[in-house]
Amino acid sequence: MADKTAVLSVNGVEVELPVLSGTAGHDVIDIRALVKNGYFTFDPGFVSTASCKSSITYIDGDKGVLLHRGYPIDQLANKSSYLEVSYLLLYGERPTPEQLNEFVGMVSKHTMLNDQLVHLFQGFRRDAHPMAIMCGVVGAMSAFFHDSLDVANPRHREVAAFRLLSKMPTVAAMCYKYNVGQPFMYPQNSLSYAENFLHMMFATPCDDYKPDPIIAKAMDKIFILHADHEQNASTSTVRLAGSSGANPFACIAAGIASLWGPAHGGANEACLNMLEEIGSVDRIDEYVAKAKDKNDPFRLMGFGHRVYKNYDPRATVMRETCHEVLDHLNIQDPLLDVAMRLEKIALEDPYFVEKKLYPNVDFYSGIILKAIGIPTNMFTVIFALSRTVGWIAHWIEMHGDPDNKIGRPRQLYTGADVRDF
Ligand code: SDX
């Protein structure tokens, strides 16, 4: 991996640093030798820093490429299923039909929560944000699974992966039901992953509920498009929490907490709130001006990305799905008109073009979810549900990495020099 070197010359000292190459993307300069030469690197937000080796997902931000184990996201979204993609993320290769069958069977058999956990919901106010509930419930799951908390045991890690993959839709739907004051619906193991989620969300004990196959397919596609995304903020949070040996449920709860931020997974909720605040196409110019105003903290939610300086390939698929769902449900949503107009402006306005601010994955997902009847405050919960398999795949990969050690960044100290008290 290291057939090239970089030479750093500082204060008359020359430090030779190996340059490592991966399968694709940027080479990296291995700076591990720097500290013994008396230097740290400085990179707030880790814009230029690779935190680990990984073979799960590859992103080329300039080309708008997203690969999961080498497979392009648009092919996976249009030809695969969330559970098949989950298998690919966790095990590195596509499952055979038999392997997929067994995997789906295993996931379907662990969808229920321990009945004691159900009481935990009662401790929340009915109007608690569902992300707060989800964070609390997932963190508490470690209190129920003492038999799979040895993070050094690969079998324990696999069991925790199954439990999280199986139970997240149940937890997510229960957060919604708790908010709306309806009884929790038990999972139906005969349904597909997406159908089961829709059933737990919208069925009640009083009516028969049959998930709409078009909506279930769109839901499954939304799960796929959010499944993993390299070393984003929440995945890096899961890795950092996991590096101390914390149990998988605590690590995923940390990932949920990080995802909640409006600059990250909270953007889909913030994006829809923004579209509703704009309200109509004739108010767009006012908001675009606010987004450009350096003195105004307002940003166009659903636009821009740390890595994609070209179109987010997930937004392309999401846009098609958005039109499919709205056409199928025969919904003329004025917010879609606002979104389409906003997208057109962003793709033409010099400010956005120069800063390479394109619609990201969160831009269209909110419109689809709203059309399906999912409330805005549940959007990030669905993002967390989808991203759980990516988080756990990275957590497992980290534990299998011989270079794995506790994450402990250093700092540039700018505080007071030593002084007597
Ligand atoms: C996700 O990392 C991932 O992979 C995340 C994610 C995943 O799948 O895990 O893809 C999911 O989080 C998608 C991003 C969702 N967030 C939003 O939609 C929130 C709105 N976007 C911005 O907050 C912002 O674009 C970020 C946080 C996404 C990226 O910010 P960066 O890379 O740190 O860029 P920056 O903040 O330094 O901005 C660069 C410039 C700045 O102007 P200057 O200071 O250079 O003059 O672009 C401007 C910013 O002011 N800018 C925006 C903008 N985003 C950046 N201006 C207006 N509207 C925006 N949305």
Side-chain angles (χ1 to χ4, degrees):
M1 288 249 272
D3 49 10
K4 294 168 263 186
T5 57
V7 178
L8 183 66
S9 169
V10 55
N11 285 346
V13 175
E14 286 212 337
V15 185
E16 199 165 290
L17 301 168
V19 174
L20 312 178
S21 303
T23 315
H26 291 44
D27 283 352
V28 298
I29 300 173
D30 183 340
I31 55 162
R32 283 176 286 188
L34 268 190
V35 65
K36 61 176 186 290
N37 287 280
Y39 287 95
F40 298 146
T41 57
F42 184 64
D43 185 18
F46 309 116
V47 179
S48 306
T49 295
S51 60
C52 62
K53 297 190 297 296
S54 181
S55 58
I56 298 172
T57 289
Y58 173 68
I59 300 171
D60 182 326
D62 294 329
K63 298 195 185 98
V65 167
L66 167 55
L67 308 177
H68 290 319
R69 303 288 191 182
Y71 295 104
I73 187 63
D74 58 316
Q75 292 183 28
L76 294 174
N78 293 321
K79 297 181 182 173
S80 185
S81 67
Y82 178 72
L83 286 184
E84 185 177 37
V85 171
S86 295
Y87 185 101
L88 178 67
L89 290 169
L90 289 168
Y91 296 105
E93 292 299 334
R94 292 180 58 175
T96 62
E98 298 71 30
Q99 287 169 328
L100 181 59
N101 223 11
E102 187 189 345
F103 184 75
V104 171
M106 178 69 87
V107 170
S108 310
K109 294 274 177 302
H110 295 85
T111 50
M112 278 205 298
L113 285 194
N114 181 304
D115 241 17
Q116 286 306 107
L117 249 181
V118 176
H119 299 304
L120 190 66
F121 285 77
Q122 306 309 327
F124 290 94
R125 288 171 40 148
R126 280 284 176 181
D127 62 353
H129 195 291
M131 281 297 279
I133 304 174
M134 177 180 249
C135 204
V137 171
V138 172
M141 282 167 74
S142 51
F144 288 77
F145 298 120
H146 299 287
D147 63 342
S148 67
L149 296 181
D150 174 4
V151 298
N153 182 330
R155 180 58 188 149
H156 281 208
R157 297 202 291 262
E158 188 176 35
V159 167
F162 276 121
R163 281 177 164 148
L164 282 157
L165 190 53
S166 304
K167 298 179 194 306
M168 283 303 267
T170 312
V171 172
M174 288 170 77
C175 293
Y176 168 67
K177 286 298 199 190
Y178 187 73
N179 268 174
V180 297
Q182 286 184 1
F184 298 137
M185 294 304 291
Y186 282 106
Q188 296 290 312
N189 294 343
S190 58
L191 296 175
S192 74
Y193 198 81
E195 287 170 338
N196 192 22
F197 174 66
L198 291 170
H199 171 267
M200 292 187 286
M201 282 286 291
F202 297 123
T204 69
C206 321
D207 300 299
D208 251 353
Y209 173 83
K210 292 265 173 297
D212 178 324
I214 305 269
I215 302 302
K217 181 117 191 66
M219 198 76 245
D220 196 74
K221 208 174 266 189
I222 287 176
F223 289 164
I224 293 172
L225 292 169
H226 289 84
D228 189 52
H229 212 240
E230 198 206 72
Q231 307 307 325
N232 57 84
S234 53
T235 301
S236 300
T237 301
V238 170
R239 280 179 171 263
L240 194 56
S243 71
S244 72
N247 74 68
F249 306 99
C251 294
I252 299 302
I256 294 169
S258 169
L259 185 75
W260 195 359
H264 189 13
N268 51 18
E269 177 176 359
C271 179
L272 206 86
N273 292 336
M274 174 192 74
L275 292 175
E276 282 173 346
E277 188 186 329
I278 294 173
S280 66
V281 288
D282 52 26
R283 293 192 59 200
I284 288 180
D285 293 344
E286 172 197 337
Y287 281 85
V288 168
K290 281 168 63 71
K292 293 178 182 176
D293 178 355
K294 294 309 305 158
N295 302 316
D296 189 327
F298 174 78
R299 288 194 165 181
L300 285 182
M301 304 316 281
F303 284 86
H305 198 278
R306 168 62 58 77
V307 177
Y308 288 123
K309 299 310 174 189
N310 195 321
Y311 214 76
D312 181 337
R314 301 168 297 176
T316 310
V317 180
M318 201 69 88
R319 190 174 193 257
E320 290 155 18
T321 308
C322 187
H323 286 293
E324 280 163 22
V325 167
L326 292 183
D327 293 350
H328 174 67
L329 296 175
N330 194 22
I331 292 178
Q332 305 295 330
D333 186 341
L335 295 186
L336 182 68
D337 302 335
V338 177
M340 300 294 287
R341 177 94 183 94
L342 210 43
E343 181 193 40
K344 191 170 179 321
I345 289 172
L347 297 179
E348 292 167 0
D349 184 300
Y351 176 88
F352 297 99
V353 173
E354 273 148 39
K355 292 184 187 298
K356 301 181 183 302
L357 300 175
Y358 297 91
N360 57 45
V361 68
D362 295 304
F363 185 64
Y364 283 101
S365 54
I367 298 165
I368 301 172
L369 295 173
K370 176 176 177 281
I372 294 174
I374 292 172
T376 310
N377 70 357
M378 277 291 295
F379 291 2
T380 310
V381 168
I382 288 169
F383 194 148
L385 183 175
S386 315
R387 185 55 57 86
T388 294
V389 70
W391 288 332
I392 208 77
H394 282 273
W395 178 79
I396 288 172
E397 181 181 66
M398 177 194 72
H399 279 291
D401 183 346
D403 285 343
N404 174 37
K405 56 175 60 166
I406 188 165
R408 207 279 185 215
R410 305 305 302 271
Q411 63 179 13
L412 175 66
Y413 177 67
T414 56
D417 203 343
V418 63
R419 55 185 169 168
D420 292 328
F421 184 73

